PDB file of all heavy atoms in Angstrom:
ATOM      1  N   MET A  58      30.653   4.801 -45.823  1.00  0.00           N
ATOM      2  CA  MET A  58      29.194   4.661 -45.793  1.00  0.00           C
ATOM      3  C   MET A  58      28.672   4.250 -47.168  1.00  0.00           C
ATOM      4  O   MET A  58      27.695   3.488 -47.292  1.00  0.00           O
ATOM      5  CB  MET A  58      28.550   5.969 -45.358  1.00  0.00           C
ATOM      6  CG  MET A  58      28.887   6.369 -43.939  1.00  0.00           C
ATOM      7  SD  MET A  58      28.220   5.235 -42.661  1.00  0.00           S
ATOM      8  CE  MET A  58      26.492   5.762 -42.686  1.00  0.00           C
ATOM      9  N   ALA A  59      29.300   4.701 -48.257  1.00  0.00           N
ATOM     10  CA  ALA A  59      28.852   4.371 -49.598  1.00  0.00           C
ATOM     11  C   ALA A  59      28.933   2.862 -49.846  1.00  0.00           C
ATOM     12  O   ALA A  59      27.996   2.256 -50.381  1.00  0.00           O
ATOM     13  CB  ALA A  59      29.669   5.120 -50.640  1.00  0.00           C
ATOM     14  N   VAL A  60      30.035   2.252 -49.463  1.00  0.00           N
ATOM     15  CA  VAL A  60      30.195   0.808 -49.678  1.00  0.00           C
ATOM     16  C   VAL A  60      29.424   0.013 -48.679  1.00  0.00           C
ATOM     17  O   VAL A  60      28.660  -0.900 -49.022  1.00  0.00           O
ATOM     18  CB  VAL A  60      31.710   0.416 -49.633  1.00  0.00           C
ATOM     19  CG1 VAL A  60      31.872  -1.102 -49.774  1.00  0.00           C
ATOM     20  CG2 VAL A  60      32.487   1.137 -50.718  1.00  0.00           C
ATOM     21  N   ASN A  61      29.575   0.340 -47.388  1.00  0.00           N
ATOM     22  CA  ASN A  61      29.065  -0.508 -46.320  1.00  0.00           C
ATOM     23  C   ASN A  61      27.571  -0.353 -46.066  1.00  0.00           C
ATOM     24  O   ASN A  61      26.950  -1.277 -45.533  1.00  0.00           O
ATOM     25  CB  ASN A  61      29.822  -0.238 -45.023  1.00  0.00           C
ATOM     26  CG  ASN A  61      31.292  -0.613 -45.097  1.00  0.00           C
ATOM     27  OD1 ASN A  61      31.788  -0.967 -46.151  1.00  0.00           O
ATOM     28  ND2 ASN A  61      31.966  -0.532 -43.978  1.00  0.00           N
ATOM     29  N   VAL A  62      27.019   0.817 -46.365  1.00  0.00           N
ATOM     30  CA  VAL A  62      25.571   1.017 -46.091  1.00  0.00           C
ATOM     31  C   VAL A  62      24.788   1.142 -47.425  1.00  0.00           C
ATOM     32  O   VAL A  62      23.845   0.384 -47.639  1.00  0.00           O
ATOM     33  CB  VAL A  62      25.346   2.272 -45.239  1.00  0.00           C
ATOM     34  CG1 VAL A  62      23.860   2.431 -44.918  1.00  0.00           C
ATOM     35  CG2 VAL A  62      26.151   2.174 -43.937  1.00  0.00           C
ATOM     36  N   ARG A  63      25.214   2.079 -48.255  1.00  0.00           N
ATOM     37  CA  ARG A  63      24.508   2.230 -49.534  1.00  0.00           C
ATOM     38  C   ARG A  63      24.588   0.921 -50.341  1.00  0.00           C
ATOM     39  O   ARG A  63      23.579   0.492 -50.951  1.00  0.00           O
ATOM     40  CB  ARG A  63      25.134   3.374 -50.337  1.00  0.00           C
ATOM     41  CG  ARG A  63      24.525   3.591 -51.708  1.00  0.00           C
ATOM     42  CD  ARG A  63      25.255   4.740 -52.406  1.00  0.00           C
ATOM     43  NE  ARG A  63      24.919   4.838 -53.808  1.00  0.00           N
ATOM     44  CZ  ARG A  63      23.900   5.535 -54.314  1.00  0.00           C
ATOM     45  NH1 ARG A  63      23.109   6.193 -53.494  1.00  0.00           N
ATOM     46  NH2 ARG A  63      23.670   5.554 -55.614  1.00  0.00           N
ATOM     47  N   GLY A  64      25.736   0.248 -50.310  1.00  0.00           N
ATOM     48  CA  GLY A  64      25.900  -0.994 -51.021  1.00  0.00           C
ATOM     49  C   GLY A  64      24.965  -2.072 -50.519  1.00  0.00           C
ATOM     50  O   GLY A  64      24.385  -2.844 -51.318  1.00  0.00           O
ATOM     51  N   VAL A  65      24.756  -2.133 -49.213  1.00  0.00           N
ATOM     52  CA  VAL A  65      23.816  -3.113 -48.624  1.00  0.00           C
ATOM     53  C   VAL A  65      22.388  -2.741 -48.982  1.00  0.00           C
ATOM     54  O   VAL A  65      21.582  -3.614 -49.364  1.00  0.00           O
ATOM     55  CB  VAL A  65      24.007  -3.221 -47.101  1.00  0.00           C
ATOM     56  CG1 VAL A  65      22.894  -4.066 -46.472  1.00  0.00           C
ATOM     57  CG2 VAL A  65      25.369  -3.809 -46.771  1.00  0.00           C
ATOM     58  N   PHE A  66      22.041  -1.451 -48.891  1.00  0.00           N
ATOM     59  CA  PHE A  66      20.697  -1.026 -49.275  1.00  0.00           C
ATOM     60  C   PHE A  66      20.404  -1.402 -50.712  1.00  0.00           C
ATOM     61  O   PHE A  66      19.359  -1.971 -51.047  1.00  0.00           O
ATOM     62  CB  PHE A  66      20.519   0.465 -49.094  1.00  0.00           C
ATOM     63  CG  PHE A  66      19.418   1.077 -49.902  1.00  0.00           C
ATOM     64  CD1 PHE A  66      18.108   0.787 -49.622  1.00  0.00           C
ATOM     65  CD2 PHE A  66      19.714   1.877 -50.980  1.00  0.00           C
ATOM     66  CE1 PHE A  66      17.050   1.320 -50.395  1.00  0.00           C
ATOM     67  CE2 PHE A  66      18.708   2.426 -51.749  1.00  0.00           C
ATOM     68  CZ  PHE A  66      17.368   2.164 -51.456  1.00  0.00           C
ATOM     69  N   LEU A  67      21.324  -1.072 -51.627  1.00  0.00           N
ATOM     70  CA  LEU A  67      21.090  -1.359 -53.042  1.00  0.00           C
ATOM     71  C   LEU A  67      20.988  -2.854 -53.283  1.00  0.00           C
ATOM     72  O   LEU A  67      20.168  -3.291 -54.117  1.00  0.00           O
ATOM     73  CB  LEU A  67      22.221  -0.759 -53.889  1.00  0.00           C
ATOM     74  CG  LEU A  67      22.306   0.778 -53.931  1.00  0.00           C
ATOM     75  CD1 LEU A  67      23.566   1.206 -54.685  1.00  0.00           C
ATOM     76  CD2 LEU A  67      21.058   1.371 -54.567  1.00  0.00           C
ATOM     77  N   GLY A  68      21.799  -3.632 -52.597  1.00  0.00           N
ATOM     78  CA  GLY A  68      21.728  -5.069 -52.749  1.00  0.00           C
ATOM     79  C   GLY A  68      20.423  -5.662 -52.267  1.00  0.00           C
ATOM     80  O   GLY A  68      19.831  -6.535 -52.902  1.00  0.00           O
ATOM     81  N   ILE A  69      19.958  -5.198 -51.080  1.00  0.00           N
ATOM     82  CA  ILE A  69      18.676  -5.667 -50.551  1.00  0.00           C
ATOM     83  C   ILE A  69      17.548  -5.287 -51.527  1.00  0.00           C
ATOM     84  O   ILE A  69      16.687  -6.112 -51.831  1.00  0.00           O
ATOM     85  CB  ILE A  69      18.416  -5.048 -49.164  1.00  0.00           C
ATOM     86  CG1 ILE A  69      19.357  -5.642 -48.131  1.00  0.00           C
ATOM     87  CG2 ILE A  69      16.951  -5.285 -48.747  1.00  0.00           C
ATOM     88  CD1 ILE A  69      19.259  -4.971 -46.776  1.00  0.00           C
ATOM     89  N   ARG A  70      17.550  -4.069 -51.987  1.00  0.00           N
ATOM     90  CA  ARG A  70      16.499  -3.611 -52.913  1.00  0.00           C
ATOM     91  C   ARG A  70      16.500  -4.458 -54.175  1.00  0.00           C
ATOM     92  O   ARG A  70      15.425  -4.869 -54.661  1.00  0.00           O
ATOM     93  CB  ARG A  70      16.691  -2.122 -53.245  1.00  0.00           C
ATOM     94  CG  ARG A  70      15.527  -1.508 -54.009  1.00  0.00           C
ATOM     95  CD  ARG A  70      15.773  -0.063 -54.327  1.00  0.00           C
ATOM     96  NE  ARG A  70      16.832   0.100 -55.319  1.00  0.00           N
ATOM     97  CZ  ARG A  70      17.175   1.279 -55.849  1.00  0.00           C
ATOM     98  NH1 ARG A  70      16.574   2.389 -55.439  1.00  0.00           N
ATOM     99  NH2 ARG A  70      18.144   1.350 -56.730  1.00  0.00           N
ATOM    100  N   ALA A  71      17.676  -4.700 -54.730  1.00  0.00           N
ATOM    101  CA  ALA A  71      17.759  -5.484 -55.961  1.00  0.00           C
ATOM    102  C   ALA A  71      17.277  -6.917 -55.725  1.00  0.00           C
ATOM    103  O   ALA A  71      16.572  -7.489 -56.589  1.00  0.00           O
ATOM    104  CB  ALA A  71      19.201  -5.490 -56.465  1.00  0.00           C
ATOM    105  N   ALA A  72      17.619  -7.474 -54.569  1.00  0.00           N
ATOM    106  CA  ALA A  72      17.166  -8.831 -54.275  1.00  0.00           C
ATOM    107  C   ALA A  72      15.630  -8.886 -54.177  1.00  0.00           C
ATOM    108  O   ALA A  72      15.004  -9.794 -54.753  1.00  0.00           O
ATOM    109  CB  ALA A  72      17.788  -9.317 -52.962  1.00  0.00           C
ATOM    110  N   PHE A  73      15.031  -7.947 -53.473  1.00  0.00           N
ATOM    111  CA  PHE A  73      13.583  -7.940 -53.333  1.00  0.00           C
ATOM    112  C   PHE A  73      12.905  -7.754 -54.688  1.00  0.00           C
ATOM    113  O   PHE A  73      11.898  -8.426 -54.985  1.00  0.00           O
ATOM    114  CB  PHE A  73      13.131  -6.833 -52.377  1.00  0.00           C
ATOM    115  CG  PHE A  73      13.030  -7.284 -50.925  1.00  0.00           C
ATOM    116  CD1 PHE A  73      14.098  -7.087 -50.061  1.00  0.00           C
ATOM    117  CD2 PHE A  73      11.893  -7.901 -50.466  1.00  0.00           C
ATOM    118  CE1 PHE A  73      14.015  -7.495 -48.763  1.00  0.00           C
ATOM    119  CE2 PHE A  73      11.812  -8.307 -49.162  1.00  0.00           C
ATOM    120  CZ  PHE A  73      12.869  -8.122 -48.303  1.00  0.00           C
ATOM    121  N   ARG A  74      13.458  -6.923 -55.537  1.00  0.00           N
ATOM    122  CA  ARG A  74      12.898  -6.711 -56.857  1.00  0.00           C
ATOM    123  C   ARG A  74      12.971  -7.989 -57.672  1.00  0.00           C
ATOM    124  O   ARG A  74      12.011  -8.349 -58.390  1.00  0.00           O
ATOM    125  CB  ARG A  74      13.598  -5.578 -57.580  1.00  0.00           C
ATOM    126  CG  ARG A  74      13.266  -4.183 -56.985  1.00  0.00           C
ATOM    127  CD  ARG A  74      14.082  -3.090 -57.683  1.00  0.00           C
ATOM    128  NE  ARG A  74      13.656  -1.765 -57.271  1.00  0.00           N
ATOM    129  CZ  ARG A  74      14.228  -0.629 -57.637  1.00  0.00           C
ATOM    130  NH1 ARG A  74      15.270  -0.655 -58.449  1.00  0.00           N
ATOM    131  NH2 ARG A  74      13.778   0.528 -57.203  1.00  0.00           N
ATOM    132  N   GLN A  75      14.077  -8.677 -57.580  1.00  0.00           N
ATOM    133  CA  GLN A  75      14.238  -9.914 -58.348  1.00  0.00           C
ATOM    134  C   GLN A  75      13.352 -11.020 -57.815  1.00  0.00           C
ATOM    135  O   GLN A  75      12.734 -11.782 -58.587  1.00  0.00           O
ATOM    136  CB  GLN A  75      15.715 -10.354 -58.344  1.00  0.00           C
ATOM    137  CG  GLN A  75      15.977 -11.582 -59.181  1.00  0.00           C
ATOM    138  CD  GLN A  75      15.560 -11.390 -60.647  1.00  0.00           C
ATOM    139  OE1 GLN A  75      15.697 -10.319 -61.218  1.00  0.00           O
ATOM    140  NE2 GLN A  75      15.027 -12.451 -61.239  1.00  0.00           N
ATOM    141  N   PHE A  76      13.287 -11.152 -56.494  1.00  0.00           N
ATOM    142  CA  PHE A  76      12.381 -12.168 -55.937  1.00  0.00           C
ATOM    143  C   PHE A  76      10.947 -11.929 -56.391  1.00  0.00           C
ATOM    144  O   PHE A  76      10.223 -12.882 -56.721  1.00  0.00           O
ATOM    145  CB  PHE A  76      12.437 -12.128 -54.394  1.00  0.00           C
ATOM    146  CG  PHE A  76      13.775 -12.484 -53.782  1.00  0.00           C
ATOM    147  CD1 PHE A  76      14.109 -12.022 -52.518  1.00  0.00           C
ATOM    148  CD2 PHE A  76      14.691 -13.263 -54.457  1.00  0.00           C
ATOM    149  CE1 PHE A  76      15.318 -12.332 -51.974  1.00  0.00           C
ATOM    150  CE2 PHE A  76      15.928 -13.558 -53.936  1.00  0.00           C
ATOM    151  CZ  PHE A  76      16.242 -13.091 -52.644  1.00  0.00           C
ATOM    152  N   ALA A  77      10.509 -10.674 -56.430  1.00  0.00           N
ATOM    153  CA  ALA A  77       9.144 -10.367 -56.883  1.00  0.00           C
ATOM    154  C   ALA A  77       8.971 -10.714 -58.341  1.00  0.00           C
ATOM    155  O   ALA A  77       7.938 -11.251 -58.766  1.00  0.00           O
ATOM    156  CB  ALA A  77       8.837  -8.873 -56.630  1.00  0.00           C
ATOM    157  N   ALA A  78       9.990 -10.388 -59.164  1.00  0.00           N
ATOM    158  CA  ALA A  78       9.888 -10.681 -60.591  1.00  0.00           C
ATOM    159  C   ALA A  78       9.806 -12.194 -60.855  1.00  0.00           C
ATOM    160  O   ALA A  78       9.152 -12.625 -61.802  1.00  0.00           O
ATOM    161  CB  ALA A  78      11.111 -10.097 -61.323  1.00  0.00           C
ATOM    162  N   GLN A  79      10.442 -12.976 -59.968  1.00  0.00           N
ATOM    163  CA  GLN A  79      10.398 -14.423 -60.109  1.00  0.00           C
ATOM    164  C   GLN A  79       9.115 -15.040 -59.574  1.00  0.00           C
ATOM    165  O   GLN A  79       8.839 -16.216 -59.785  1.00  0.00           O
ATOM    166  CB  GLN A  79      11.576 -15.040 -59.362  1.00  0.00           C
ATOM    167  CG  GLN A  79      12.954 -14.681 -59.965  1.00  0.00           C
ATOM    168  CD  GLN A  79      14.114 -15.018 -59.053  1.00  0.00           C
ATOM    169  OE1 GLN A  79      15.249 -14.718 -59.361  1.00  0.00           O
ATOM    170  NE2 GLN A  79      13.858 -15.656 -57.921  1.00  0.00           N
ATOM    171  N   GLY A  80       8.391 -14.232 -58.789  1.00  0.00           N
ATOM    172  CA  GLY A  80       7.170 -14.709 -58.189  1.00  0.00           C
ATOM    173  C   GLY A  80       7.411 -15.708 -57.086  1.00  0.00           C
ATOM    174  O   GLY A  80       6.584 -16.596 -56.802  1.00  0.00           O
ATOM    175  N   GLY A  81       8.587 -15.560 -56.416  1.00  0.00           N
ATOM    176  CA  GLY A  81       8.917 -16.525 -55.380  1.00  0.00           C
ATOM    177  C   GLY A  81       9.495 -15.865 -54.133  1.00  0.00           C
ATOM    178  O   GLY A  81       9.389 -14.652 -53.930  1.00  0.00           O
ATOM    179  N   THR A  82      10.110 -16.680 -53.316  1.00  0.00           N
ATOM    180  CA  THR A  82      10.691 -16.238 -52.063  1.00  0.00           C
ATOM    181  C   THR A  82      12.198 -16.206 -52.185  1.00  0.00           C
ATOM    182  O   THR A  82      12.741 -16.469 -53.265  1.00  0.00           O
ATOM    183  CB  THR A  82      10.264 -17.186 -50.896  1.00  0.00           C
ATOM    184  OG1 THR A  82      10.778 -18.499 -51.184  1.00  0.00           O
ATOM    185  CG2 THR A  82       8.760 -17.242 -50.784  1.00  0.00           C
ATOM    186  N   GLY A  83      12.868 -15.892 -51.097  1.00  0.00           N
ATOM    187  CA  GLY A  83      14.331 -15.851 -51.115  1.00  0.00           C
ATOM    188  C   GLY A  83      14.853 -15.637 -49.740  1.00  0.00           C
ATOM    189  O   GLY A  83      14.100 -15.492 -48.780  1.00  0.00           O
ATOM    190  N   SER A  84      16.167 -15.622 -49.650  1.00  0.00           N
ATOM    191  CA  SER A  84      16.840 -15.431 -48.351  1.00  0.00           C
ATOM    192  C   SER A  84      18.051 -14.535 -48.511  1.00  0.00           C
ATOM    193  O   SER A  84      18.782 -14.662 -49.488  1.00  0.00           O
ATOM    194  CB  SER A  84      17.257 -16.784 -47.764  1.00  0.00           C
ATOM    195  OG  SER A  84      17.814 -16.628 -46.484  1.00  0.00           O
ATOM    196  N   ILE A  85      18.213 -13.618 -47.567  1.00  0.00           N
ATOM    197  CA  ILE A  85      19.322 -12.652 -47.603  1.00  0.00           C
ATOM    198  C   ILE A  85      20.091 -12.739 -46.299  1.00  0.00           C
ATOM    199  O   ILE A  85      19.490 -12.830 -45.230  1.00  0.00           O
ATOM    200  CB  ILE A  85      18.774 -11.232 -47.770  1.00  0.00           C
ATOM    201  CG1 ILE A  85      17.994 -11.080 -49.077  1.00  0.00           C
ATOM    202  CG2 ILE A  85      19.917 -10.205 -47.742  1.00  0.00           C
ATOM    203  CD1 ILE A  85      17.220  -9.767 -49.210  1.00  0.00           C
ATOM    204  N   ALA A  86      21.404 -12.705 -46.387  1.00  0.00           N
ATOM    205  CA  ALA A  86      22.265 -12.630 -45.217  1.00  0.00           C
ATOM    206  C   ALA A  86      23.179 -11.429 -45.378  1.00  0.00           C
ATOM    207  O   ALA A  86      23.763 -11.217 -46.433  1.00  0.00           O
ATOM    208  CB  ALA A  86      23.086 -13.907 -45.022  1.00  0.00           C
ATOM    209  N   ILE A  87      23.336 -10.654 -44.307  1.00  0.00           N
ATOM    210  CA  ILE A  87      24.165  -9.463 -44.303  1.00  0.00           C
ATOM    211  C   ILE A  87      25.349  -9.695 -43.362  1.00  0.00           C
ATOM    212  O   ILE A  87      25.185 -10.260 -42.276  1.00  0.00           O
ATOM    213  CB  ILE A  87      23.359  -8.243 -43.826  1.00  0.00           C
ATOM    214  CG1 ILE A  87      22.167  -7.964 -44.728  1.00  0.00           C
ATOM    215  CG2 ILE A  87      24.253  -7.003 -43.745  1.00  0.00           C
ATOM    216  CD1 ILE A  87      21.171  -6.988 -44.150  1.00  0.00           C
ATOM    217  N   THR A  88      26.518  -9.240 -43.767  1.00  0.00           N
ATOM    218  CA  THR A  88      27.653  -9.283 -42.852  1.00  0.00           C
ATOM    219  C   THR A  88      27.708  -7.990 -42.063  1.00  0.00           C
ATOM    220  O   THR A  88      27.995  -6.911 -42.594  1.00  0.00           O
ATOM    221  CB  THR A  88      28.973  -9.443 -43.629  1.00  0.00           C
ATOM    222  OG1 THR A  88      28.955 -10.687 -44.322  1.00  0.00           O
ATOM    223  CG2 THR A  88      30.163  -9.479 -42.644  1.00  0.00           C
ATOM    224  N   GLY A  89      27.346  -8.099 -40.779  1.00  0.00           N
ATOM    225  CA  GLY A  89      27.509  -6.990 -39.858  1.00  0.00           C
ATOM    226  C   GLY A  89      28.868  -7.084 -39.197  1.00  0.00           C
ATOM    227  O   GLY A  89      29.870  -7.421 -39.858  1.00  0.00           O
ATOM    228  N   SER A  90      28.924  -6.868 -37.902  1.00  0.00           N
ATOM    229  CA  SER A  90      30.216  -6.871 -37.203  1.00  0.00           C
ATOM    230  C   SER A  90      29.943  -6.794 -35.699  1.00  0.00           C
ATOM    231  O   SER A  90      28.859  -6.357 -35.267  1.00  0.00           O
ATOM    232  CB  SER A  90      31.060  -5.659 -37.622  1.00  0.00           C
ATOM    233  OG  SER A  90      32.161  -5.492 -36.786  1.00  0.00           O
ATOM    234  N   ILE A  91      30.927  -7.192 -34.931  1.00  0.00           N
ATOM    235  CA  ILE A  91      30.869  -6.897 -33.496  1.00  0.00           C
ATOM    236  C   ILE A  91      30.750  -5.393 -33.314  1.00  0.00           C
ATOM    237  O   ILE A  91      30.184  -4.921 -32.319  1.00  0.00           O
ATOM    238  CB  ILE A  91      32.084  -7.465 -32.752  1.00  0.00           C
ATOM    239  CG1 ILE A  91      31.864  -7.438 -31.234  1.00  0.00           C
ATOM    240  CG2 ILE A  91      33.377  -6.728 -33.151  1.00  0.00           C
ATOM    241  CD1 ILE A  91      32.927  -8.160 -30.453  1.00  0.00           C
ATOM    242  N   GLY A  92      31.233  -4.621 -34.305  1.00  0.00           N
ATOM    243  CA  GLY A  92      31.084  -3.181 -34.310  1.00  0.00           C
ATOM    244  C   GLY A  92      29.660  -2.730 -34.520  1.00  0.00           C
ATOM    245  O   GLY A  92      29.348  -1.541 -34.353  1.00  0.00           O
ATOM    246  N   SER A  93      28.779  -3.638 -34.922  1.00  0.00           N
ATOM    247  CA  SER A  93      27.348  -3.314 -35.022  1.00  0.00           C
ATOM    248  C   SER A  93      26.712  -3.268 -33.643  1.00  0.00           C
ATOM    249  O   SER A  93      25.652  -2.654 -33.458  1.00  0.00           O
ATOM    250  CB  SER A  93      26.604  -4.380 -35.835  1.00  0.00           C
ATOM    251  OG  SER A  93      27.074  -4.475 -37.135  1.00  0.00           O
ATOM    252  N   LEU A  94      27.366  -3.916 -32.679  1.00  0.00           N
ATOM    253  CA  LEU A  94      26.761  -4.126 -31.355  1.00  0.00           C
ATOM    254  C   LEU A  94      27.493  -3.382 -30.235  1.00  0.00           C
ATOM    255  O   LEU A  94      26.948  -3.234 -29.123  1.00  0.00           O
ATOM    256  CB  LEU A  94      26.748  -5.633 -31.027  1.00  0.00           C
ATOM    257  CG  LEU A  94      26.152  -6.553 -32.096  1.00  0.00           C
ATOM    258  CD1 LEU A  94      26.397  -8.000 -31.746  1.00  0.00           C
ATOM    259  CD2 LEU A  94      24.663  -6.265 -32.285  1.00  0.00           C
ATOM    260  N   ARG A  95      28.707  -2.988 -30.483  1.00  0.00           N
ATOM    261  CA  ARG A  95      29.541  -2.359 -29.464  1.00  0.00           C
ATOM    262  C   ARG A  95      30.193  -1.101 -30.017  1.00  0.00           C
ATOM    263  O   ARG A  95      30.191  -0.880 -31.227  1.00  0.00           O
ATOM    264  CB  ARG A  95      30.617  -3.337 -28.960  1.00  0.00           C
ATOM    265  CG  ARG A  95      30.095  -4.611 -28.361  1.00  0.00           C
ATOM    266  CD  ARG A  95      29.416  -4.352 -26.993  1.00  0.00           C
ATOM    267  NE  ARG A  95      28.997  -5.586 -26.364  1.00  0.00           N
ATOM    268  CZ  ARG A  95      27.798  -6.146 -26.514  1.00  0.00           C
ATOM    269  NH1 ARG A  95      26.901  -5.575 -27.320  1.00  0.00           N
ATOM    270  NH2 ARG A  95      27.479  -7.267 -25.869  1.00  0.00           N
ATOM    271  N   GLY A  96      30.811  -0.307 -29.170  1.00  0.00           N
ATOM    272  CA  GLY A  96      31.451   0.906 -29.619  1.00  0.00           C
ATOM    273  C   GLY A  96      32.936   0.943 -29.256  1.00  0.00           C
ATOM    274  O   GLY A  96      33.370   0.249 -28.323  1.00  0.00           O
ATOM    275  N   SER A  97      33.704   1.727 -29.983  1.00  0.00           N
ATOM    276  CA  SER A  97      35.099   2.001 -29.641  1.00  0.00           C
ATOM    277  C   SER A  97      35.465   3.345 -30.265  1.00  0.00           C
ATOM    278  O   SER A  97      34.690   3.914 -31.030  1.00  0.00           O
ATOM    279  CB  SER A  97      36.023   0.890 -30.142  1.00  0.00           C
ATOM    280  OG  SER A  97      36.161   0.967 -31.546  1.00  0.00           O
ATOM    281  N   ALA A  98      36.625   3.834 -29.882  1.00  0.00           N
ATOM    282  CA  ALA A  98      37.011   5.176 -30.333  1.00  0.00           C
ATOM    283  C   ALA A  98      37.707   5.186 -31.669  1.00  0.00           C
ATOM    284  O   ALA A  98      37.978   6.248 -32.213  1.00  0.00           O
ATOM    285  CB  ALA A  98      37.938   5.821 -29.289  1.00  0.00           C
ATOM    286  N   ASP A  99      38.018   3.993 -32.207  1.00  0.00           N
ATOM    287  CA  ASP A  99      38.676   3.953 -33.517  1.00  0.00           C
ATOM    288  C   ASP A  99      37.718   3.369 -34.574  1.00  0.00           C
ATOM    289  O   ASP A  99      36.622   2.898 -34.234  1.00  0.00           O
ATOM    290  CB  ASP A  99      39.982   3.116 -33.483  1.00  0.00           C
ATOM    291  CG  ASP A  99      39.728   1.690 -33.037  1.00  0.00           C
ATOM    292  OD1 ASP A  99      38.601   1.348 -32.654  1.00  0.00           O
ATOM    293  OD2 ASP A  99      40.684   0.892 -33.076  1.00  0.00           O
ATOM    294  N   LEU A 100      38.110   3.468 -35.834  1.00  0.00           N
ATOM    295  CA  LEU A 100      37.272   2.980 -36.933  1.00  0.00           C
ATOM    296  C   LEU A 100      35.850   3.532 -36.846  1.00  0.00           C
ATOM    297  O   LEU A 100      34.877   2.789 -36.987  1.00  0.00           O
ATOM    298  CB  LEU A 100      37.259   1.454 -36.950  1.00  0.00           C
ATOM    299  CG  LEU A 100      38.546   0.756 -37.399  1.00  0.00           C
ATOM    300  CD1 LEU A 100      38.398  -0.778 -37.295  1.00  0.00           C
ATOM    301  CD2 LEU A 100      38.951   1.141 -38.793  1.00  0.00           C
ATOM    302  N   LEU A 101      35.727   4.825 -36.605  1.00  0.00           N
ATOM    303  CA  LEU A 101      34.424   5.428 -36.365  1.00  0.00           C
ATOM    304  C   LEU A 101      33.464   5.270 -37.553  1.00  0.00           C
ATOM    305  O   LEU A 101      32.297   4.921 -37.372  1.00  0.00           O
ATOM    306  CB  LEU A 101      34.587   6.912 -36.021  1.00  0.00           C
ATOM    307  CG  LEU A 101      33.290   7.659 -35.672  1.00  0.00           C
ATOM    308  CD1 LEU A 101      32.645   7.051 -34.417  1.00  0.00           C
ATOM    309  CD2 LEU A 101      33.542   9.133 -35.510  1.00  0.00           C
ATOM    310  N   ALA A 102      33.961   5.526 -38.755  1.00  0.00           N
ATOM    311  CA  ALA A 102      33.090   5.397 -39.935  1.00  0.00           C
ATOM    312  C   ALA A 102      32.634   3.950 -40.114  1.00  0.00           C
ATOM    313  O   ALA A 102      31.451   3.677 -40.412  1.00  0.00           O
ATOM    314  CB  ALA A 102      33.823   5.880 -41.189  1.00  0.00           C
ATOM    315  N   TYR A 103      33.554   3.008 -39.927  1.00  0.00           N
ATOM    316  CA  TYR A 103      33.227   1.593 -40.030  1.00  0.00           C
ATOM    317  C   TYR A 103      32.138   1.222 -39.021  1.00  0.00           C
ATOM    318  O   TYR A 103      31.172   0.569 -39.371  1.00  0.00           O
ATOM    319  CB  TYR A 103      34.493   0.755 -39.837  1.00  0.00           C
ATOM    320  CG  TYR A 103      34.266  -0.741 -39.854  1.00  0.00           C
ATOM    321  CD1 TYR A 103      34.092  -1.425 -41.043  1.00  0.00           C
ATOM    322  CD2 TYR A 103      34.189  -1.465 -38.649  1.00  0.00           C
ATOM    323  CE1 TYR A 103      33.886  -2.804 -41.070  1.00  0.00           C
ATOM    324  CE2 TYR A 103      33.983  -2.824 -38.652  1.00  0.00           C
ATOM    325  CZ  TYR A 103      33.843  -3.498 -39.864  1.00  0.00           C
ATOM    326  OH  TYR A 103      33.631  -4.848 -39.880  1.00  0.00           O
ATOM    327  N   GLN A 104      32.338   1.586 -37.775  1.00  0.00           N
ATOM    328  CA  GLN A 104      31.380   1.225 -36.733  1.00  0.00           C
ATOM    329  C   GLN A 104      30.027   1.864 -37.011  1.00  0.00           C
ATOM    330  O   GLN A 104      28.986   1.220 -36.826  1.00  0.00           O
ATOM    331  CB  GLN A 104      31.903   1.679 -35.378  1.00  0.00           C
ATOM    332  CG  GLN A 104      33.035   0.869 -34.866  1.00  0.00           C
ATOM    333  CD  GLN A 104      33.067   0.850 -33.382  1.00  0.00           C
ATOM    334  OE1 GLN A 104      32.115   0.521 -32.694  1.00  0.00           O
ATOM    335  NE2 GLN A 104      34.226   1.229 -32.841  1.00  0.00           N
ATOM    336  N   THR A 105      30.025   3.113 -37.445  1.00  0.00           N
ATOM    337  CA  THR A 105      28.748   3.759 -37.785  1.00  0.00           C
ATOM    338  C   THR A 105      28.029   3.001 -38.886  1.00  0.00           C
ATOM    339  O   THR A 105      26.813   2.756 -38.827  1.00  0.00           O
ATOM    340  CB  THR A 105      29.006   5.216 -38.230  1.00  0.00           C
ATOM    341  OG1 THR A 105      29.691   5.912 -37.151  1.00  0.00           O
ATOM    342  CG2 THR A 105      27.703   5.934 -38.497  1.00  0.00           C
TER     343      THR A 105
END
């Protein structure tokens, strides 16, 4: 969760702060997974 969720949160926050400091716009893309949309019994932490 620290890498896959906290890392994305911190990255999004940093991007928004920088876009504001530049006085402009920007674009962000996140790598999710088929595990974002479906469930299985393995890789529970990853899927969460």
Side-chain angles (χ1 to χ4, degrees):
M58 295 294 283
V60 176
N61 295 7
V62 182
R63 178 181 168 88
V65 171
F66 159 69
L67 293 174
I69 290 173
R70 189 181 69 175
F73 270 94
R74 288 176 173 176
Q75 184 57 37
F76 296 156
Q79 294 167 185
T82 62
S84 184
I85 300 170
I87 300 167
T88 299
S90 168
I91 194 172
S93 300
L94 309 171
R95 300 290 185 268
S97 73
D99 60 352
L100 289 177
L101 182 63
Y103 176 80
Q104 288 207 54
T105 302

